[in-house]
Structure formats: C-alpha cells, structure tokens
Amino acid sequence: RLQKRGTPHHRMSGRLSCPRALRLITLLYGSISSSSGFVASAPRKERSGILRKMGSLLSSDVSVAQLETAIFDLDGTLLNPEHVPTVGTIATVRKLHEKGITVAIATGRSAPALFPVVAALGIPRVPVVCYNGAGGLMCAYDSATQKVSVEEEIFKQPLSAAATRAALDFGRGLGFVLHYYAGDEILVEREDEQTRRYRDLTGVQQRVVASLDGQQDPYKILVMCGEERIDEVHEAALREVGEVCHVIRGAPPFFVELLDPAVNKGDGVAKMMQQMGRSLETCAAFGDGDNDLEMVKMVGYGVAMANARDIVKQSAKAVTKKTNADDGLAAHLEEMLEEGMFGPAM
C-alpha cells in the first residue's frame, strides 16, 4: 500500500513512499518498449524478474493517502520556551489552513489557557482536545473583536468521585499543593512557588478555596511536586493510584497529572476525529511530552520534536531537526508541504 509520506525522517514500516514507488515504476517502465514489450536486448532472466515485480506491484492495494488534519501540542511544540507561538510558526500554520488543512490543538491546558494561542493563530474554527483528553471543544475566533469563544462542547470525561477521592488523598499525603480543574477554573487550597510558576506558564489565575472536598468532579488533578521530586512522585502515583487514575508525568516536568483511567490525548483525538468524520490515518500529530505519546502513536503520521522525551521520539515516525526554541515545528511543516504530504479533505 503506497502512502504519500516522503520526508527523509519517516520510517515506512514496510510501506513504500510515493517517491520510492515512482522510482520503482520508472525503473520497470524504462525496461519496456512502447512498441514491442520488453527491450529485446534484456536477458530472459531479467525480463522475468521485471514481470514478477510489476505484477506484484499492480496486484497490491495501491492508494495514496494525504494528510488532512494537523494536530499540535502546545507547550514544547507549537509554543517556544517563552510559551508563545513565533511569527514563523504562525505563518506556517496559517499556510496549512489556507491550503484547506484542518488545524487542531491537543493540550493539557484548560480552555481559557489556550484561548490566547487560538487568537494568535487567527483561524476561524479550531477543534481542541483539552485537559489531556478529558474534554473536547470547537473554538471559534472572531477577527472583528479578536475574541475566542467555545462554539460547541464535543465531549467531556472527568474523574469519577472515587478516583477524585483517591487522588486528593494521595496528593495531600505527600503535602503538596493540588490543582483541581473544576470546569474552566483551577481551584487550590493554598498557593506556593509551584502555583505561581504554573500561573505564569498558563496565564490563568487559580482560585483559592477553603477545601477541594465537595467540589464538582474535576477534569484532572495536578500534584505540584517540582522538578527535583518529579520522578519519585510519578512512581509513587503509579504505585498507589495507578489502578483508578491515569498518571502522567507533567510537561514541563514540575507536576504529576491524575486523570480518569480511560483518558489520554490519543483517545481524545480519536473522539474528536470521529465527530468530524475524519480517519486517524489522515492525521498528523506533533508533540514532545509523555502526555503526547498515545496521540503520536495513534495517528497516521506522528512527529516528535527534537526537544521531545526519548520515549516519544522512539514512538514517532519522524523527529524534527530543530527544537521548539528554533522554529523546529515550522521548519518540519515546510518540508512536509514541499513533499506534498498535505491535501484537503474531499
């Protein structure tokens, strides 16, 4: 089966890329005379080999699938280390949109925390998987007012009451501040250095409450442990609440996330694409962190950033040559556009 995916970094997994297929067809066709079949001078054994190769090629399921949707993680991927999209990245993403490609976002952020990015892109409608897969939205950008709003809620899957209780007990037992994602708000019982750092990262002000007990079921709970204890807390969470929560090492790595066991970016993207009538095979996804792993593995063309975690790079079909500090995403997208890998949905 032929796939139109021709970047130098793409591991074909047994499939022929279009450039390779065309070279093979050219080789075979070059051995055929337009008037009398095979070139008379070709040895009998060589002619038989060419016939076998061509018969095998023409009898196979030949199709050329172009990528119709580009899905971007935010921090570490679409955004630079200052957590904003560069002028070059914005221009390239807009070029995709103008070509008829659906531009989507998949992030751990809440809706209010991603609105500034959607506004910067300036694309009228952007499908968004947020809360690392626990919510799906269709965001709308109004160029006249330069405002972003939620046009439609596609799906949501918060933590159950039992999982919420287990997550709260786990985090409190370690003595860390917890971030409780209740709807569009982030609730905390107190503030500390990690809370302020997270506010600077997302641009969202947390709300201090007397207790997180009795609040609505959250999309997720963050244990704000800091970099120096991230591995220790991640392992402890897997051991103590891993059966009732999906545990993710945060990105940037100064917190651990606890979500519903069935929630991850990959499944969130699958729900969104099903709603839109799109195949995952025609999606490209770009990411860098542990929370991007399922998404990168699930789509037709998964790309890891040069600054990605090794586990993501090992699961991706391609790795960008540059990091998010050097417009690595934009450069890779330009290569893909030049290779003709993108095509609008028919």
Side-chain angles (χ1 to χ4, degrees), residues 310-333:
D310 286 343
I311 190 172
V312 182
K313 291 179 180 178
Q314 292 162 7
S315 300
K317 290 186 172 70
V319 177
T320 65
K321 297 173 183 175
K322 299 179 181 179
T323 70
N324 68 319
D326 297 306
D327 272 352
L329 176 64
H332 195 87
L333 288 173

Side-chain angles (χ1 to χ4, degrees), residues 71-254:
I71 307 161
F72 302 108
D73 166 56
L74 292 185
D75 299 289
T77 303
L78 187 74
L79 308 183
N80 66 12
E82 286 70 49
H83 306 290
V84 294
T86 66
V87 172
T89 297
I90 291 171
T92 306
V93 172
R94 286 180 179 172
K95 190 183 296 185
L96 287 177
H97 170 68
E98 290 163 2
K99 188 177 174 64
I101 306 307
T102 297
V103 172
I105 290 172
T107 179
R109 294 188 179 204
S110 64
L114 60 87
F115 283 175
V117 180
V118 175
L121 294 178
I123 296 173
R125 297 178 81 246
V126 178
V128 172
V129 173
C130 47
Y131 309 109
N132 274 328
L137 311 169
M138 182 62 71
C139 288
Y141 172 69
D142 186 334
S143 58
T145 63
Q146 298 187 342
K147 299 288 186 182
V148 177
S149 61
V150 175
E151 183 179 276
E152 181 184 5
E153 183 177 72
I154 309 297
F155 64 86
K156 64 178 179 179
Q157 189 166 351
L159 284 160
S160 67
T164 299
R165 172 50 50 198
L168 289 175
D169 290 345
F170 170 75
R172 285 168 172 164
L174 295 175
F176 294 116
V177 170
L178 304 179
H179 279 192
Y180 190 102
Y181 274 72
D184 287 341
E185 287 193 298
I186 303 175
L187 307 181
V188 297
E189 293 177 329
R190 59 187 172 87
E191 294 184 303
D192 67 357
E193 179 184 347
Q194 304 302 338
T195 303
R196 292 184 286 274
R197 181 179 178 186
Y198 195 79
R199 181 165 61 240
D200 292 340
L201 169 68
T202 63
V204 175
Q205 175 69 55
Q206 302 94 336
R207 182 163 68 91
V208 179
V209 296
S211 176
L212 298 176
D213 297 323
Q215 304 288 345
Q216 69 182 84
D217 293 341
Y219 284 111
K220 62 179 183 176
I221 294 175
L222 309 189
V223 182
M224 309 304 293
C225 56
E227 281 104 333
E228 49 292 330
R229 297 190 64 183
I230 183 73
D231 292 329
E232 170 197 344
V233 174
H234 181 244
E235 291 174 8
L238 288 171
R239 185 172 59 251
E240 297 184 29
V241 296
E243 291 187 3
V244 294
C245 296
H246 179 203
V247 180
I248 301 177
R249 187 179 188 272
F254 65 98

Side-chain angles (χ1 to χ4, degrees), residues 37-51:
F38 291 97
V39 177
S41 61
R44 181 186 299 273
K45 185 175 181 181
E46 183 177 330
R47 282 181 277 169
S48 298
I50 292 172
L51 276 173

Side-chain angles (χ1 to χ4, degrees), residues 243-318:
E243 291 187 3
V244 294
C245 296
H246 179 203
V247 180
I248 301 177
R249 187 179 188 272
F254 65 98
F255 54 89
V256 170
E257 300 199 22
L258 306 175
L259 302 102
D260 182 90
V263 166
N264 61 69
K265 276 192 187 181
D267 285 340
V269 165
K271 289 178 184 177
M272 182 66 77
M273 292 303 106
Q274 182 179 30
Q275 178 71 20
M276 297 174 64
R278 299 289 177 83
S279 166
L280 288 173
E281 186 68 16
T282 61
C283 295
F286 304 79
D288 72 303
D290 289 19
N291 59 334
D292 299 313
L293 184 60
E294 292 90 351
M295 174 179 74
V296 166
K297 292 169 66 174
M298 191 175 291
V299 298
Y301 187 73
V303 181
M305 298 296 293
N307 50 282
R309 295 255 296 163
D310 286 343
I311 190 172
V312 182
K313 291 179 180 178
Q314 292 162 7
S315 300
K317 290 186 172 70

